[in-house]
Amino acid sequence: MYQIDFEKPQRIHFIGIGGISMSGLAAILLSRDFFVSGSDWHKSGLTEQLEKEGARIFEGQAAEHITADLDAVVYTAAVHEDNPEYRRAKECGIPLVSRAQLLGQMMKNYKTAVAVAGTHGKTTTTSMLSEILLKAKMDPTISVGGILPAIGGNIRIGYSDTMVTEACEYTNSFLEFFPTVAVILNIREDHLDFFKDLSDIRRSFRKFAARTPQSGVVIIDTSIEDWEEIVEGLACRVVTVGPASASDYRAEAVAYDEEDDPSFVVATSKGEREPVSMRVPGAHNMENALAAIAAARELGVDWETIRAGLWHFEGTDRRFQKKGSFHGVTVVDDYAHHPDEIYATLTAASQMHYQKVWCLFQPHTYSRTKALFEEFAETLTLADEVVLADIYAARETDDLGVSAEKLAKRICELGTPAHYLPSFEEIERFLYKQCMHGELLITMGAGNIVNVGESLVEP
């Protein structure tokens, strides 16, 4: 595999540079005086920012964007061998480096590299830890899979020896990483267009944990079924967080305010009992916070700074993000696209003081919807009423015989009113008429369903 020398600026081209992770990696290279070019199907705020920083951006992807003077071409998992730029790079003998390989190589440049993994909660936990490290003035480099207001985007270029990043399991990307602190939040069925089953996913997480050096640490949540199997026999230290009474970090004396924001006492295996209050709702965010706290303590952050960092954290873009209102209806957007995430979000919403909770859900990929069909149906019944948009296909072309209409029918069979509407325009008209003052509307999914809520919100 081609190794990039980060001390000698090179010419690097990114296929799919507008992605949340790719744009961040491109920004890091630009900060090191690399010549960066890249292409994506559409320009965006992220690509415009890269242009301001000196990158050359192409709209659309074409073979002529690949020139002989390039030192390497970086590509994402969504890029296949028939991509014209990928194909041209191969024809020209230009080294091809995956996004995960580039991020893994970058991690080697840092004495402390924190990688946050898990089926869900990665962005939130990475963001929480980032807030804490910023409060601690540790000047970290941060790569997060969402927009974090504290850093004004998805990337922060620090000049210390500390890096914090998400670690996604899809296509085994995280097996290219070199963490000194590996965080594992949860392990559930997902990305079944790539993994065979849950056992296959667990094997990958075990391999990820094993990449941690003897001098490092794995932080793992004890709510993971048979979590011991993931870390058994590792040479590094293992720190546990979560509900088990023997966990090294656990939450006690838990209380919620009227917005469902938790306050709790962190009890540690060292006998510490430290109070923490948060400004993001839900028990799931308390679990995320425990992992961030454990990582921060491993990095030597004191409790007062941890408290300040978590209190300052008010969420990331598309994570229970309030968008506004229309005739007294509160509109919130959430990225949840897995049944566990939906459960966490709707459970938190149901404990708030709204007269009714509407969930407008856009399933993400046919393979996920088919594999977890019953789980989706059951968790969506936590809303008072559900509206389904068509499945967001993303990289997939085969519908596998599954549809949003079938999911709506199943939700109705379980006793919760559910409606399927084939277009965003019809959905908007329906919700504008049906939602009433004092109710909550959550637009939910990893696709473009956020557009509906933003259209409904009054200026």
Side-chain angles (χ1 to χ4, degrees), residues 51-71:
E51 283 186 299
K52 290 178 184 177
E53 294 170 9
R56 185 181 183 188
I57 305 296
F58 300 100
E59 189 168 6
Q61 294 177 348
E64 55 263 30
H65 300 157
I66 304 300
T67 54
D69 58 349
L70 291 172
D71 293 295

Side-chain angles (χ1 to χ4, degrees), residues 318 323 331 333 360 362 392 424-425 427-428 443-445 447-457:
R318 300 214 63 199
K323 306 299 287 190
V331 179
D333 181 60
L360 168 57
Q362 181 186 44
Y392 190 86
F424 280 9
E425 292 77 11
I427 291 171
E428 285 179 31
T443 59
M444 183 180 287
N448 58 347
I449 198 65
V450 60
N451 297 341
V452 175
E454 290 178 343
S455 294
L456 284 166
V457 165

